[in-house]
Every structure is written in C-alpha cells, then in structure tokens.
Amino acid sequence: MSETARQIAIEQQVVDTVYARLEVMRAQTRQLSEEGHRRAGGGPVAGLVERDAMVLGAAARLSDLDGQEEGIVFGRLDFDDDETYRIGRLGVRDADREPLVVDWRAPAAAPFYRATPGEPLGVARRRVITCTGRTVVGLDDEVLTDTPVDGVVGEGALLASLTRERGAHMRDIVSTIQREQDEAVRAPAAGVTLITGGPGTGKTQVALHRAAYLLYRDRGRFADGRVLVVGPSTVFTTYIGRVLPGLGEDSVHLRAIGDLFDGVVATRRDCAEVARTKGDLRMVRVLTDLAWDTPPNVPDRLWGLDADDLARARREVRRRCEAAGITPNAARAQAATVLAELLDGREVPAAFLTAWWPSLTPQDVLPAQRGEWSVDDVPLLDELAEILGRPQRVAEVRPEWQRRELRSGARLAETFVLSLSLGDGWQLFAPGVATPIAQSGQSLDSGHWGAQRWAAAIILREGHQVVGWVDGFDPYGEEGHVPVLAEPLPVAQAEEPVEDTYQHVIIDEAQDLSPMECRMIARRAAYASMTIVGDLGQATHPLAAGSWPELVHRLGKRTARTLDLPTGYRVPEVIADFAARALPPGIAPTRSFRPGGRLAIRRVDDLAEAVARETGTVIAPDHLAAALHAIPVSQVKGLEYDRVVLVEPADIVAAEPRGMNRLYVALTRAVGELVILHRKPLPEQLTRA
Ligand SMILES: Nc1ncnc2c1ncn2[C@@H]1O[C@H](COP(=O)(O)OP(=O)(O)OP(=O)(O)O)[C@@H](O)[C@H]1O
C-alpha cells in the first residue's frame, strides 16, 4: 500500500465516523420535528408557541445537515504538541460531546488558514482533505515545522482546486482560503470593511465566506435575513447563488442591484448617457417635483374652482407639507384644509379628495418605459418610495380603540362603543363628513336616530350587530345614546411595521455604484455595518466614485478598514500581463498565482465567420452580441470562463466613456485561454509592449 493510500484510509475512517454520527443526529432531528407537528394539533396558544420554536429549530437543523452532504470534512491540523483535529463545513460532536470536526469559522480553525512556515502558530502539518461525496479522494500536506512529520503526502491543494473543472456555478473555496483572504473573511463585523483587489483575487469568494462567518460568530444578530449581499446583476447572483447554501447558510438575502426594490426585477442597463443622468444626485430634486406634481387623470374642477385654482391649491399643499415634513402620501388632510379654505369653509366631499389626492406608488409616478424598468430606474423608484412616504400604514390610521383591541387580541363590544370617541369609527366609514349625530343636533331622539345610522354603517363595514343601547359618548365625545355592538369579526393580526433595514450589508463590485444607487443601499444600511468589495480598475459606471473614501462617504459612512488582496487566482500570467496594458495609470497590476495561460490575437475580415470557427465563450460589444450569439460585454462582470473569445475590443472602448475599464473587465475573465478577434485596429493601449 502506498503512503498516500495509507493516509487516505486513515482519513476515510474519520470521515465515515463523522457521517455515521450525522445520521444519528439526522434521525433525532426528524423525530423532534415530527413531535413538534404532532403537538401543534393540540392547539392551545402555549402549545403553538412551543410548536413554533421546536419546528423552527428542527427544520433549520435538517436543512443544515442536508446542505452539507458534500465534503463535510476538508482539513486536518496537527500541532507540535501532538494534538490533532479535523476541520469541516460544520462542527460535529460525538455522543459524549467531544468534537469530531471543528467548524471552519471557529477560532480554533483559524490556524488552518493563517499558519505559514514563517509564523506556524504551533501547527506542524496542515492537511487539505478532498472528498467526493463521502469518499476521500485526495490529500495535500504542508509541513510548517523543521522537525520531521510522518506520512506526508501532497498534490498542491490550491493549484488542484484552481484547475478543477468549472461548473455553471461558483464553488466555495473553504478548504483553500489563503491567509490574506482569511484576514478579510474574519475582519471584525463592526464598522466598514473595505476589501480591494484586482480581478480574480477572490473578492467575491471572500465576501461570501465573510457572510457565512458573520452568521456563525453572531447568529443572534445576523440570522433571519439580517445580512444583505448586493451584486451587480441577476446573472451574477445566480452564478454565486450556491456558495452560501453550500456553506450551510441560507438566510442571507442575495440581491442584484436591479432586484433591490420590492416588486420590480430589472436586468437591462441604460446606455452610459442615460445612466449618467439617472445616477446623478440631481434626480432627487426632479423626483421630488414629480411626486408633488398633479397625477394624470385626476379631477380638474370642483364647484367654483377650475384647473388653475386646483393647481395653485396643490402648490400650497406642497409648501405647507414640505415646511412641516409631511410626505405627499400623508398630505390628504392638508389638501382638504387648503381646499376648504378656498371654498370658504365648505367641506370637500371625501370622494373628491380621494380622487384628487390619491395615494401614489413609485410605479405610478415613474411608469415603466416600453413595459420595462431598467436597472438604472430602480434607485429612482426606491427614492420615490422615500419621497412619497408609505401610504399610511394600517397601524397608523387605525383609531386608538382598534389598536388597543389588536394589542389585547380581544374585541369587546362595550369597549368599542363606550371608551372611544365614536368619531373614530365614523372616520373609517366616511372620512371628512360630519357624523349623523353631529348633523342631527343635540336632541336625544334625532341623536338616537343618528346613532342608529352610524351603527348601520359600522355593521356594513365591520360586520357588527346592534344588541342594545346605552348612554355613551357621541362622535364628538358628548354624552349620548349609543348602540352596543356585538358579533364582531375576528380580530385581525396586528401589522407590525416591516423593518427592511439590515444588520450587515455586503456590496460586491462596489466600484460601480452611482450616487443614486449608493443612496438606495445606504437606506437599507442606516444602522448596519458594511463590507465593501471592489476594484477601481473595473469601474465602468460613468458616475463611479473616483476613490474609495468618496464611495464610503456616498454610502453614508465615514471611515473604513481597508484590506487588499494582492494575488490573482483566476487569470493566468500570460493573459494577466496582457490585460494590465488596459489598466488606467496609477492602478497596480495584480500578481498572478496561475502560471502560463494562452493568448491569441487574430485580425479577421469577417467577425461572424471567425466567431463561428471558435469554441469557448464569446464576449462581444453589446451592439454586436445578439448577431454573434455572444454574451454582451456589459454582462460579464464578476464571471469567468475557461476559454474566452473576445470580439472587437475597439468597439468596446468606443462604446462608453469608461470603455477602457470595460475592456479590462472583459480581458480578465479567462481562466485558461483568451482569443481576441478584431477587424478594426486594436486600441492603442493594447499594442504597447
Ligand atoms: N483561495 C482560493 N482557493 C481556490 N480558488 C480560489 C481562491 N481564491 C480565489 N479563487 C478562485 O479564483 C476565481 C476568482 O475569484 P473571485 O471571483 O472571488 O474573484 P474577484 O476578485 O471577485 O474577481 P472579479 O474582480 O473579476 O469579480 C474563482 O474561481 C475563485 O473560486
């Protein structure tokens, strides 16, 4: 038996023990979950709470275990003092609670990523264990001590991992995270962490592993959708979408910029000129004017008031509301007041007010052009949501009595009638109109009649019945003869305001954010710590920040701790050296870890014909992409392919103000081979030696 086979057999034994233990845990978990469901049948409130807690915990545990089928154990550390332990995607203990595998995120696992020959941290040997499913298929040892270590085997885990076949989705790098990457993954959660580095330095990987790390370190704070990861496009989020579930985490919100505003999924980008306009901070003013403008199709006269009078009234409403900090969607009462003043106190019918001052959604104010919003529209919709204000929340418009009922969970007819100002109830039915009791004066008889009408209204609206009459308070709080209502509808669930802010926000490809996009993210990160990941050399947005401090500031934060990733793991040396010619002055090229690589540059007469002869992924200027069945160059950010065929660089550069940066992005997508096909002369920068 070879030494490698012997060592593999040793590790296989450990892996088998871990899986056997997981099976036991899985069976226990399933039993727990079933027990939870059975108890739920009982129904009492206390039981429900218990059920929820149990089912939730059990289900989470199950999905944890299911997600970890592949390669749970991937590392081993042997220390100078003969201590040994295995590192895995999750921590597993045996029946006596002794650790079988240490979670890669635990402090004890840090030496696996941090130890170097110069600074071994007590580690004698670091071993990477490669599994396919439950079978150990390879080992790679690195000895970090001068004293001899037995049974050393190796095949270069990092290189092996880099040369593995590429799938349609990004795979995690948990077994080969490099030291500088690990420092970025484990940087403190608080404040702003800025992770910079050239193409292929592992920024995206670090960002995702960091999300998993934060969840592990402070689950109470970050679980349940409290971490947001923002990427540049839905193609990109789909590409990286499996990394976190593979690491056992599925509670992170992963969103593309075009996907951040609820109810809209935008994938198309506007051309640079339009993007420049839409991304500019001056849009805030434009959108504010739009939000207060007269909406289309609203009535344009009311009794003696014509369209001009109404337009003037609208301006007056805006003036008063802006002075008082009231948003358009909360301004109907002010609108009523202004109109009533113009009408010498005459009360404006509710129906008119609702039509003239409707509640607006951002989509009402900024309808889709040709049936579709662009990614650059999304921050505008989000801004409009802020400017318009939410249509008043149910909780806010509910009268106090109703809120009290919702809080207590009980709807008491007597309470309903006696303890509240009946005006509240009437307001629900006919806002802005005087109540029947008020209209009928103070005589008890007509008051009684009015109360009956009022009760009928409430019956219609709320499903109550009148079961008697008592002396209570009329709509104006005066004493009167009022109905006691019964048979209420069940009390609805109290609607808690949904907080859509996060505890931690991770932004990938952050160099590309326009000022308006920054505002959209900052709105979700007002109280959040942040991880900002990017490369200024790949900035293509016409309004991209010129420096990192500027971007941090745009995101509403002040300072950042910066970590730079200096080594590129994607692009091989030959291609990286060539691509560096497209880098703007002042940006240092990335040192490539991958040796070799193949580069071919061909001048051709017919692009379509030349493309048809090639194999690999074709990347073309956007205007040629469809004809050549190619991926538009604007869509490849963050992605990578084994063999890239890049078409007509001159057109890519000419298409937009930051065309050279766009070309740099395209040149740095290839993992093995890059073929450049061009009909027009190459951009001058590429021809420089
Ligand atoms: N430590 C590592 N071990 C194995 N593979 C790695 C490691 N670091 C990075 N890689 C691989 O290198 C490639 C580039 O990584 P990634 O996409 O995270 O880089 P990036 O810096 O985000 O690139 P870009 O700036 O182009 O978006 C990926 O295939 C990734 O899996």
Side-chain angles (χ1 to χ4, degrees):
M1 196 190 235
S2 72
E3 185 57 34
T4 306
R6 214 170 64 79
Q7 293 297 323
I8 285 184
I10 294 172
E11 300 305 339
Q12 186 66 57
Q13 220 173 16
V14 177
V15 169
D16 290 345
T17 313
V18 169
Y19 277 104
R21 174 69 188 142
L22 276 177
E23 282 305 335
V24 173
M25 286 167 69
R26 197 191 292 267
Q28 285 172 351
T29 305
R30 230 178 257 133
Q31 194 187 344
L32 248 183
S33 133
E34 275 165 22
E35 200 168 308
H37 282 297
R38 258 204 315 278
R39 282 199 209 173
V45 174
L48 277 182
V49 173
E50 192 183 353
R51 184 277 317 254
D52 286 349
M54 286 178 74
V55 171
L56 221 88
R61 198 85 211 107
L62 257 187
S63 78
D64 252 13
L65 302 188
D66 283 337
Q68 304 307 329
E69 272 291 11
E70 231 178 298
I72 282 180
V73 184
F74 61 77
R76 165 175 161 173
L77 282 177
D78 295 330
F79 289 88
D80 289 335
D81 59 5
D82 288 340
E83 195 185 357
T84 290
Y85 48 74
R86 305 306 190 289
I87 318 284
R89 287 161 190 275
L90 80 169
V92 183
R93 289 172 184 273
D94 65 17
D96 300 325
R97 314 256 334 129
E98 287 301 317
L100 285 171
V101 184
V102 174
D103 192 300
W104 66 278
R105 297 166 287 190
F112 186 76
Y113 303 109
R114 296 282 175 95
T116 62
E119 203 183 334
L121 308 174
V123 176
R125 168 178 45 197
R126 166 175 41 223
R127 167 171 285 181
V128 176
I129 302 168
T130 309
C131 290
T132 301
R134 302 179 177 205
T135 312
V136 179
V137 294
L139 301 177
D140 178 56
D141 287 342
E142 192 182 350
V143 177
L144 304 175
T145 165
D146 295 334
T147 38
V149 175
D150 278 350
V152 174
V153 293
E155 53 177 23
L158 177 57
L159 258 187
S161 145
L162 290 176
T163 48
R164 261 201 312 178
E165 212 178 294
R166 206 152 305 280
H169 296 273
M170 185 180 248
R171 268 191 297 243
D172 67 64
I173 56 165
V174 69
S175 62
T176 54
I177 295 173
Q178 298 300 292
R179 186 191 163 105
E180 76 269 5
Q181 295 176 325
D182 187 65
E183 277 165 15
V185 168
R186 288 174 207 252
V192 179
T193 304
L194 171 64
I195 301 170
T196 61
T201 49
K203 297 183 299 297
T204 297
Q205 289 282 19
V206 164
L208 295 171
H209 286 73
R210 180 161 168 73
Y213 173 77
L214 295 176
L215 279 159
Y216 174 83
R217 289 311 300 272
D218 199 348
R219 200 165 289 282
R221 178 157 161 234
F222 293 123
D224 292 336
R226 284 327 208 189
V227 176
L228 169 70
V229 176
V230 183
S233 65
T234 44
V235 182
F236 177 78
T237 46
T238 309
Y239 173 62
I240 65 170
R242 300 227 182 128
V243 173
L244 278 166
L247 295 173
E249 299 297 351
D250 47 18
S251 73
V252 169
H253 283 186
L254 179 58
R255 297 265 189 283
I257 286 278
D259 201 10
L260 268 181
F261 178 78
D262 273 350
V264 170
V265 180
T267 53
R268 186 181 57 80
R269 276 273 176 190
D270 285 311
C271 68
E273 205 178 317
V274 177
R276 177 193 288 281
T277 308
K278 290 184 179 173
D280 196 295
L281 282 185
R282 280 175 289 190
M283 283 309 287
V284 177
R285 189 77 230 154
V286 174
L287 294 168
T288 307
D289 287 345
L290 271 179
W292 287 103
D293 261 5
T294 308
N297 307 323
V298 301
D300 61 357
R301 62 192 61 244
L302 170 68
W303 298 319
L305 304 180
D306 64 13
D308 284 346
D309 298 326
L310 288 175
R312 224 171 312 117
R314 193 171 283 277
R315 285 195 294 277
E316 177 59 15
V317 177
R318 174 178 179 177
R319 195 189 61 73
R320 290 187 194 182
C321 287
E322 285 191 329
I326 295 167
T327 60
N329 275 344
R332 199 176 288 153
Q334 279 69 17
T337 310
V338 169
L339 289 180
E341 281 169 18
L342 285 176
L343 295 164
D344 298 327
R346 191 165 164 194
E347 202 161 343
V348 181
F352 177 87
L353 260 183
T354 319
W356 187 66
W357 201 277
S359 270
L360 296 171
T361 66
Q363 289 93 324
D364 294 330
V365 179
L366 193 76
Q369 301 287 303
R370 292 183 298 277
E372 175 190 43
W373 281 281
S374 74
V375 175
D376 304 86
D377 288 327
V378 171
L380 309 187
L381 292 168
D382 202 63
E383 191 75 35
L384 273 170
E386 172 95 355
I387 295 168
L388 288 167
R390 292 169 199 262
Q392 282 194 325
R393 287 212 188 99
V394 183
E396 284 160 5
V397 293
R398 278 191 172 128
E400 172 53 29
W401 59 265
Q402 208 176 32
R403 274 183 266 148
R404 202 169 332 123
E405 284 184 346
L406 287 173
R407 276 199 301 273
S408 67
R411 178 168 279 181
L412 299 174
E414 291 83 357
T415 325
F416 182 73
V417 173
L418 292 176
S419 67
L420 51 107
S421 148
L422 299 187
D424 278 339
W426 183 255
Q427 283 302 319
L428 278 176
F429 175 66
V433 177
T435 59
I437 293 182
Q439 281 170 11
S440 64
Q442 290 300 314
S443 103
L444 187 66
D445 277 341
S446 55
H448 186 134
W449 175 84
Q452 255 177 328
R453 287 238 334 245
W454 177 85
I458 296 295
I459 290 162
L460 269 178
R461 196 181 167 89
E462 301 274 342
H464 287 73
Q465 277 184 4
V466 178
V467 293
W469 294 87
V470 292
D471 288 336
F473 297 92
D474 78 7
Y476 287 166
E478 301 286 329
E479 270 195 321
H481 197 57
V482 290
V484 173
L485 309 176
E487 294 196 16
L489 295 172
V491 175
Q493 276 289 305
E495 285 170 45
E496 286 303 320
V498 184
E499 270 312 326
D500 50 6
T501 56
Y502 291 92
Q503 289 287 328
H504 194 87
V505 175
I506 298 179
I507 313 163
D508 201 356
E509 308 285 356
Q511 74 277 353
D512 268 327
L513 297 175
S514 71
M516 290 301 286
E517 286 168 341
C518 286
R519 282 172 71 88
M520 171 166 66
I521 294 174
R523 219 167 267 135
R524 286 155 179 76
Y527 307 104
S529 49
M530 255 189 197
T531 301
I532 301 172
V533 179
D535 174 14
L536 290 179
Q538 297 185 60
T540 51
H541 196 286
L543 296 177
S547 69
W548 290 119
E550 185 187 342
L551 184 82
V552 170
H553 181 74
R554 281 184 187 178
L555 286 164
K557 308 287 178 189
R558 278 201 220 128
T559 53
R561 77 176 68 80
T562 306
L563 294 147
D564 190 56
L565 304 179
T567 310
Y569 298 97
R570 173 194 304 130
V571 191
E573 225 166 358
V574 171
I575 302 174
D577 289 348
F578 180 74
R581 297 180 187 183
L583 263 179
I587 297 189
T590 302
R591 189 175 70 231
S592 180
F593 179 84
R594 272 177 197 264
R598 283 198 299 274
L599 171 71
I601 303 173
R602 293 189 201 125
R603 182 156 199 159
V604 298
D605 290 328
D606 186 329
L607 286 174
E609 201 181 82
V611 164
R613 275 200 300 271
E614 298 289 344
T615 54
T617 305
V618 184
I619 301 176
D622 284 16
H623 70 284
L624 296 178
L628 297 175
H629 305 291
I631 305 184
V633 68
S634 61
Q635 296 278 320
V636 297
K637 207 161 262 180
L639 307 180
E640 62 189 25
Y641 313 94
D642 287 325
R643 186 173 197 269
V644 169
V645 179
L646 180 62
V647 178
E648 206 63 294
D651 278 3
I652 293 175
V653 174
E656 53 187 318
R658 291 181 188 245
M660 197 45 108
N661 286 13
R662 180 79 71 192
L663 177 60
Y664 180 63
V665 173
L667 290 170
T668 53
R669 297 305 102 194
V671 175
E673 190 171 354
L674 172 65
V675 178
I676 297 179
L677 302 176
H678 66 106
R679 220 161 65 90
K680 299 181 182 170
L682 287 178
E684 188 223 329
Q685 286 87 334
L686 294 191
T687 57
R688 281 200 300 249

